Amino acid sequence: MSWQIIPLEEVAPTAWRNGGGITRELLAWPTAQDWDWRISVAEVEKSGPFSPYEGVQRWFAVLGGAGVRLTLDGQSRELTPQGEPLCFDGALGCDCELIDGPTEDFNLMLKKGRGSARLVRVLGALDVEIKPGTRVAVYAWDEPVTVQVNRKFVTVPPHTLAWRALADGASVRIEATSALWMEMAR
């Protein structure tokens, strides 16, 4: 399978019911109706609660803006564009407070019992060995990202998601000023 490229600007936004922002769903696999994992970018305009997702593991990363303060089960955690993504149970009550104005945020969601996932921020270079049958993705934030799988390269433009399956496994190197790297396996 070759890389599938999804530019953010080509995805229609969906307004939140509470009026606090919009979401652009970049990918839901295998289908939008019955996904195992889902990747989206949100623009958060107002502080307020997150929608609960029972039976879903969530990863959340700030892409732009000053950041947010998330309160989960009474514990606050400040997230900024330089920080690592936060992984949490989607069923937990989560309140989001904007630190200093709107933010742009990245979400990876995985339905429990449908595999495993990881999301890491890449600031520089990252080398990983991928197990067979894993789907991988990279989100280029404000600079292009270069991904090398074995001996083949792809350059991902800014504000773009690239993903593919690695049926035979692979050695992967990601080089980026700022990007998010994901691995989703069954």
Side-chain angles (χ1 to χ4, degrees):
M1 174 183 200
S2 61
W3 288 97
Q4 306 297 308
I5 307 293
I6 305 166
L8 183 65
E9 67 188 20
E10 293 181 11
V11 178
T14 301
W16 296 356
R17 288 183 292 234
N18 69 6
I22 62 168
T23 296
R24 294 176 195 269
E25 184 176 288
L26 299 174
L27 179 61
W29 190 88
T31 68
Q33 296 74 32
D34 185 28
W35 50 268
D36 291 346
W37 46 270
R38 177 179 178 254
I39 297 170
S40 63
V41 172
E43 294 174 25
V44 182
E45 298 167 4
K46 296 183 199 172
S47 296
F50 280 5
S51 297
Y53 282 90
E54 188 73 36
V56 172
Q57 192 70 27
R58 271 182 97 157
W59 288 260
F60 178 90
V62 175
L63 298 171
V68 300
R69 191 169 296 105
L70 297 185
T71 303
L72 293 151
D73 271 353
Q75 302 227 356
S76 288
R77 176 100 182 256
E78 199 166 284
L79 296 144
T80 66
Q82 297 75 33
E84 282 300 313
L86 176 66
C87 181
F88 61 96
D89 185 334
L92 292 176
C94 181
D95 191 58
C96 177
E97 178 187 348
L98 298 175
I99 293 173
D100 186 20
T103 63
E104 189 162 19
D105 306 311
F106 188 90
N107 292 279
L108 168 63
M109 296 186 198
L110 171 72
K111 286 188 179 170
K112 292 181 181 175
R114 296 203 187 174
S116 63
R118 93 175 179 133
L119 171 67
V120 295
R121 190 175 300 275
V122 180
L123 301 169
L126 176 69
D127 293 297
V128 290
E129 292 293 323
I130 306 297
K131 295 178 184 173
T134 300
R135 285 173 170 70
V136 297
V138 64
Y139 185 75
W141 171 228
D142 55 0
E143 298 285 335
V145 174
T146 301
V147 182
Q148 178 184 355
V149 177
N150 296 329
R151 293 193 176 106
K152 295 183 180 177
F153 291 85
V154 66
T155 299
V156 182
H159 309 285
T160 300
L161 178 77
W163 76 279
R164 66 174 289 181
L166 295 173
D168 298 331
S171 293
V172 178
R173 179 171 180 84
I174 305 100
E175 293 183 8
T177 303
S178 179
L180 293 169
W181 172 255
M182 293 145 276
E183 297 165 26
M184 290 78 57
R186 272 227 162 230

